Amino acid sequence: MGFFSNFLKTKPKNSTTEINIVAPLSGSIINIESVPDTVFAEKIVGDGIAIIPSNNEMVAPIDGEINKIPDTLHAFSIKSKEGIELFVHFGIDTVNLKGKGFLKIIGNKKEVKKGDVIINFDLNFLIKNAKSIITPIVISNMEKIKTIKKMSGTVIAGKTTVMIVTI
């Protein structure tokens, strides 16, 4: 019985796992190719979507661990237990603001659940001072991804699915 019960617990090598990624900000989805920065538009750092934000907080788009929040607080990376690595980058050239307009809520290497607030931001300040507020959400380890289905429309942070990926 031991071999048989262990056999039932192992997944076949060709099996897939489907993961829903929710919106890290409220707003409207646009195609990643429309982001006014070639690093994102040409998918140099990964594939995904972008959101034109309408709220003032960035939340965890998946359950996982915060890998890195730079000192400039304009972005974060998160890794799910399944191994998906996501990068959320608020706006374009927001690194130049040196953290102005952003407030970190959760630190590096912290476990988070989908919807947990990671960074608060002052949307009005950023609209006035950033090159763009369009926020790319990209999967940075695309080599692990079998398929990616991208959604469109208006989304609510922590609630609305923006991508469904299979690994």
Side-chain angles (χ1 to χ4, degrees):
M1 185 69 185
F3 170 78
F4 189 68
S5 62
N6 284 339
F7 178 76
L8 292 176
K9 290 178 188 171
T10 60
K11 291 177 94 177
K13 286 183 179 163
N14 62 355
S15 71
T16 58
T17 301
E18 192 174 88
I19 295 124
N20 286 358
I21 299 169
V22 300
L25 315 101
S26 295
S28 300
I29 294 177
I30 65 167
N31 293 330
I32 195 77
E33 296 85 358
S34 301
V35 174
D37 184 323
T38 56
V39 170
F40 294 107
E42 294 179 8
K43 303 177 187 176
I44 293 167
V45 292
D47 197 359
I49 54 108
I51 295 176
I52 301 170
S54 62
N55 68 332
N56 63 353
E57 61 186 17
M58 287 189 273
V59 305
I62 51 176
D63 294 347
E65 181 180 273
I66 300 299
N67 276 346
K68 179 95 174 116
I69 301 172
D71 294 340
T72 51
L73 309 178
H74 69 289
F76 68 89
S77 62
I78 183 171
K79 185 175 184 176
S80 75
K81 65 183 181 309
E82 301 87 1
I84 295 174
E85 295 176 12
L86 281 174
F87 183 55
V88 179
H89 188 283
F90 186 96
I92 304 303
D93 292 345
T94 44
V95 67
N96 299 333
L97 297 174
K98 297 179 173 57
K100 288 188 186 122
F102 298 99
L103 176 66
K104 179 168 61 171
I105 305 299
I106 292 180
N108 293 327
K109 304 300 176 196
K110 299 288 186 199
E111 290 288 325
V112 292
K113 293 284 185 201
K114 211 180 266 190
D116 287 352
V117 178
I118 297 169
I119 297 170
N120 284 334
F121 56 87
D122 182 337
L123 186 58
N124 291 330
F125 172 83
L126 294 167
I127 287 170
K128 291 177 189 145
N129 294 285
K131 178 180 175 182
S132 170
I133 60 166
I134 293 172
T135 301
I137 298 96
V138 297
I139 300 166
S140 54
N141 62 337
M142 284 301 297
E143 69 280 357
K144 290 192 175 244
I145 308 301
K146 291 182 180 174
T147 63
I148 178 171
K149 181 179 180 189
K150 301 174 187 181
M151 307 302 163
S152 60
T154 303
V155 295
I156 298 169
K159 305 255 187 255
T160 312
T161 298
V162 294
M163 291 184 278
I164 301 171
V165 297
T166 54
I167 55 172

